[in-house]
Each structure stands twice: as structure tokens, then as C-alpha cells.
Amino acid sequence: MVRLDATHDLLTRSWVTSANGHTDFPIQNLPIGVFSSADDPRLRGGVAIGDEVLDVSAAVRAGLFTGDALHAATVAGQSTLNAFLAIPSAERVAFRARVFALLADGASERSRCEPLLRHASECVMHLPVTVGDYTDFYAGIHHAMNVGKLFRPDQPLLPNYKHVPIGYHGRSSSIVVSGTDVRRPSGQRKAPADAAPTFGPCRNLDFELELGVWVGAGNAQGTSVAIGAAEEQVAGFCLLNDWSARDIQSWEYQPLGPFLAKSFATSVSAWIVTPEALAPFRIPQPARPDGDPAPLPYLMDAADQQSGALDVELEVLLLTAGARAQQQPPVRISLSNAQHLYWTVAQLIAHHTSNGCNLRPGDLLGTGTISAPTPDGLGSLLEMTQSGRTPIDVGGETRTFLMDGDEVIVRARARRDGYATIGFGDVRGIVYSTTNS
Ligand code: CA
């Protein structure tokens, strides 16, 4: 159980003034990422605070960390954060408490910390983790239902859905950090009416709104993570866009599932939001509707059911090339919430390891597309446009699927009375094409 402590105190302010206003990164958040800066091209770990980034490795060299916090800070300052993700949660908590103390109003170390801040606009964010394995689940039940209705009106949910957390093994090599442009993939496309497939640029390019989970220490092959111990394996969260080529997907996916329709790119947000930062926003897993089966015992834990879900607002915005040229803002096309997941993150981890499969530090889990039950909260264009049949309005333009030049932006915010609102930063990417056919 992640506990609330002084680092969640709403009234604490930071001497970094930008952290006290409208920001994703108040002092109660303190996410970790990997950055380089205009004055130092080396990749190193940093903590976001308001509009600034605290150089953790420089803070270690300056002697600002000791004890449990020193080891955590040392690995948090590295150019890739796998070792940080692997530390026990108690060390992560100690690190958080120390950074909170350094950045809080009245900190005696302020003058030593100030030179270690870099303005975010002078920083380039990098993929924070060397991702060994990436698994994408399908835990958003409204998405599963909506997609099922499109292709199987008589049986939207397959019989296994409410018993087994569905997932597939994704591709880690093509995971990119927010801000990376994404090339429109080519592949085999065949509409049902076509006599034969053709090869060419994807015509039905889509996004998927997901939460990403960064795995902690992991487990040895041949062992399983019990549901009650799964929470300790969650070291962080991010936003994830599972770019999807629907025309390629619909032709290739049977019988073994997604392949080239998904493997060309997956975008993640740059900042690792810790379980500690999200502690105030944990909620009970919503009760299953009457008639739904209870999870099997290996997926059932009373504490997890009591606080294993997350109340995090998720929004998708679209900025078309035309709107960008006219300096228009992006248009919000969806507002969903992480509480619409049918399985908790702990259940996903318990299931993933139930066969003895080993997870390793920095493995990435996608939750699956998180659609709300309402039409204004759908997590993909596939759902919003009924597979391209009903275009949506995007600030005066229409879209069925993504056009070249479109930028997809996913943001998230967690809010609760009595606590500071925290955000995730964003995950964004512009679609480009190298061909005209
Ligand atoms: Ca997905």
C-alpha cells in the first residue's frame, strides 16, 4: 500500500515559483525523466518541478543526498532509469522525501540547488528507460466492447474477456519518446470488398489512448508475482499512444493478433510519474456489473480491489497541419479516465507472471485503450468514426483517420479535493509521410 505522507501536503509550496501555479509538476508530483540541456549534451536524470528540471546527477555530486536517498538519487541521475525503477519502493520514497525537502519553500539548500535547475525550454527529453519488453493489454472494456460491436455485432465481447486479461507482446525497438515524429507505415491492405491485397501507405492510421506502466524489480523466470505483491512491481506510470494502422490490422490480425499494424511506433510521455505521486488518486476498482464472473483467486486481492484503480483524467487533442499553420490551438476530441479499466494494474502483473514469465526492470506494460462509456470519451478514431463511416469535426476540419501533418497529443491530470492536482506532461507526435501514393 502506498502511503500518504508529508510530500502530499497540499499547502507546501516550492521556492521554484512556476511550481505553484497552473502546472503539471507541482512539488507534490516530482516525476523523473532523462534530459540533456543546451549547456550539457550528456543524457542524465532529472526531476520536473514547475517549468524547471532539477539535474539529479549534479545534485548528487553537490552532496545533497545521503543514506537511502543517495543510492536512489545516484541511479535516478543516470542516462537510463532502469536501475532506478528496480530499487525497492522504500528507497524511492526516501528519494522523493529528500527532493521534496530540497525544493520546498524555506529549504536551507535553496542556494545550492538553484544552479542545478535548467529551464524546461532549454532541455531535450529522451526516452527515460531502455525498454526490454513491451506488453500491451486490452483492459479498457468500453473500447473492447465498441470495437467488438464494429466487427462482431452479435458477440461484441469474446467469451474469455471477463475471465482473462487479454494482451499481446508488443515491439520495444520502436518505442519513442514524446515529440518524435511518426512515419505513416506502409503495409498490406485489403478491404473486405477487395479481391486481393495491395501494398502501400496505411490509409486508416489511428491512435490509441493508453496508460503505460513501468515495471520495477521484476521476478525470476519460473516464479510468479502474487496479486498481493504486484503493487511493489509498479515503479511508475506514463502516457502511451499505441499508433495503429487499422487497414493493415484488419487484414493481418487473424489468427495471431496484431503484428505490423502496431510495431512501427509506440509513443510514451517523457516523465515517469511515481506510484507515490499518484497515491492520493487511487480509488476502489469499480464493482463489476451484476452477472459478471468474479476474478479467479490468483487475480483477486481485497486490498487491490479496495484501492487498485486510478482516478486520472485522460484527454486526446488533435492539431491538424492547417490549424498549426494558422497558429490555432489543438482541439480536444476525447476526455476519458483511467478508472474505466476492467482490470487493475496489479491484476495485469499477476496475470502476466502467472505462467512463470519473468518481468524485468523497465519493461513497459500498456493498459489497452481506455475509452469512457460515453461518446465524448472514446480512445481511438476507430471508435469515434465507426471505423471511418462517420467523420468527426476537428476545429472546422473533418477526420475519419489521421492525415499527414496531424499531431496527436495526449494529456492527463489527477485531481482530488484536498490534494494538489498533478499532470503527466504529454505524449505527442506528428504523422509524416515519405511517399505520396
Ligand atoms: Ca493498444
Side-chain angles (χ1 to χ4, degrees):
M1 181 67 199
V2 182
R3 296 183 189 285
L4 299 177
D5 58 30
T7 66
H8 301 98
D9 174 27
L10 171 65
L11 299 179
T12 302
R13 293 165 66 86
S14 173
W15 51 262
V16 179
T17 53
S18 60
N20 302 322
H22 183 78
T23 176
D24 277 358
F25 308 125
I27 193 169
Q28 293 83 2
N29 191 350
L30 304 177
I32 300 145
V34 169
F35 76 107
S36 57
S37 53
D39 64 330
D40 187 346
R42 287 177 297 180
L43 273 62
R44 58 215 194 268
V47 170
I49 177 76
D51 295 337
E52 309 279 334
V53 177
L54 175 69
D55 186 329
V56 174
S57 59
V60 169
R61 288 194 299 277
L64 289 164
F65 292 95
T66 56
D68 267 2
L70 174 58
H71 177 249
T74 302
V75 288
Q78 293 178 344
S79 60
T80 186
L81 297 178
N82 296 64
F84 175 78
L85 295 173
I87 62 176
S89 59
E91 285 189 32
R92 202 171 58 230
V93 168
F95 172 70
R96 172 179 168 88
R98 179 58 178 159
V99 175
F100 186 90
L102 291 173
L103 296 173
D105 244 352
S108 59
E109 300 90 344
R110 174 175 175 171
S111 61
R112 295 167 67 198
C113 286
E114 275 175 330
L116 311 179
L117 293 176
R118 292 292 176 275
H119 199 270
S121 64
E122 297 164 14
C123 298
V124 174
M125 300 306 300
H126 302 270
L127 193 63
V129 176
T130 304
V131 185
D133 276 297
Y134 160 47
T135 303
D136 198 21
F137 284 94
Y138 199 54
I141 189 168
H142 304 298
H143 170 76
M145 189 79 84
N146 293 337
V147 173
K149 277 179 189 161
L150 287 172
F151 300 107
R152 293 180 306 274
D154 299 338
Q155 189 185 35
L157 281 186
L158 290 169
N160 58 5
Y161 188 86
K162 292 179 175 177
H163 296 274
V164 53
I166 303 297
Y168 70 96
H169 288 111
R171 184 78 192 166
S172 58
S173 67
S174 53
I175 294 170
V176 293
V177 73
S178 176
T180 308
D181 293 346
V182 170
R183 187 186 149 193
R184 178 180 298 274
S186 288
Q188 280 199 29
R189 314 148 305 183
K190 181 188 170 301
D194 295 343
T198 57
F199 183 90
C202 166
R203 295 168 176 141
N204 295 353
L205 186 60
D206 200 355
F207 61 83
E208 290 190 341
L209 166 63
E210 303 195 21
L211 207 56
V213 177
W214 294 111
V215 171
N219 58 301
Q221 190 172 6
T223 70
S224 303
V225 177
I227 178 82
E231 190 181 296
E232 179 69 18
Q233 295 293 338
V234 178
F237 293 87
C238 64
L239 301 174
L240 187 152
N241 177 356
D242 176 22
W243 302 93
S244 299
R246 300 301 182 194
D247 45 354
I248 298 171
Q249 184 178 0
S250 64
W251 171 233
E252 75 169 8
Y253 85 104
Q254 290 176 314
L256 288 184
F259 182 34
L260 302 184
K262 302 275 194 178
S263 62
F264 58 97
T266 304
S267 297
V268 294
S269 53
W271 294 105
I272 298 174
V273 177
T274 64
E276 289 72 37
L278 286 171
F281 311 103
R282 297 175 63 125
I283 56 172
Q285 176 67 1
R288 292 185 163 200
D290 283 346
D292 280 14
L296 286 171
Y298 81 101
L299 295 174
M300 193 62 182
D301 178 76
D304 180 49
Q305 291 294 308
Q306 185 53 43
S307 65
L310 289 167
D311 183 4
V312 177
E313 295 173 5
L314 306 163
E315 61 175 352
V316 183
L317 302 97
L318 196 58
L319 180 64
T320 68
R324 188 182 310 110
Q326 295 173 30
Q327 299 184 317
Q328 298 293 310
V331 174
R332 185 164 86 184
I333 57 174
S334 180
L335 178 62
S336 186
N337 192 297
Q339 65 182 278
H340 299 307
L341 291 167
Y342 192 75
W343 301 99
T344 67
V345 171
Q347 287 174 317
L348 301 182
I349 288 174
H351 181 66
H352 201 311
T353 61
S354 61
N355 66 344
C357 171
N358 47 321
L359 296 176
R360 293 178 295 186
D363 281 0
L364 177 64
L365 310 180
T367 56
T369 309
I370 307 176
S371 292
T374 49
D376 58 354
L378 302 175
S380 67
L381 288 170
L382 179 70
E383 295 161 86
M384 290 179 201
T385 68
Q386 296 283 300
S387 195
R389 289 194 281 276
T390 53
I392 59 167
D393 176 83
V394 184
E397 295 183 57
T398 59
R399 284 293 180 278
T400 51
F401 291 99
L402 296 170
M403 308 276 285
D404 293 341
D406 285 351
E407 182 170 26
V408 178
I409 304 161
V410 176
R411 294 179 185 151
R413 291 179 85 73
R415 32 178 137 226
R416 180 180 167 191
D417 285 350
Y419 294 89
T421 298
I422 67 170
F424 281 59
D426 58 21
V427 56
R428 55 174 67 216
I430 299 176
V431 175
Y432 71 97
S433 180
T434 55
T435 63
N436 296 313
S437 59

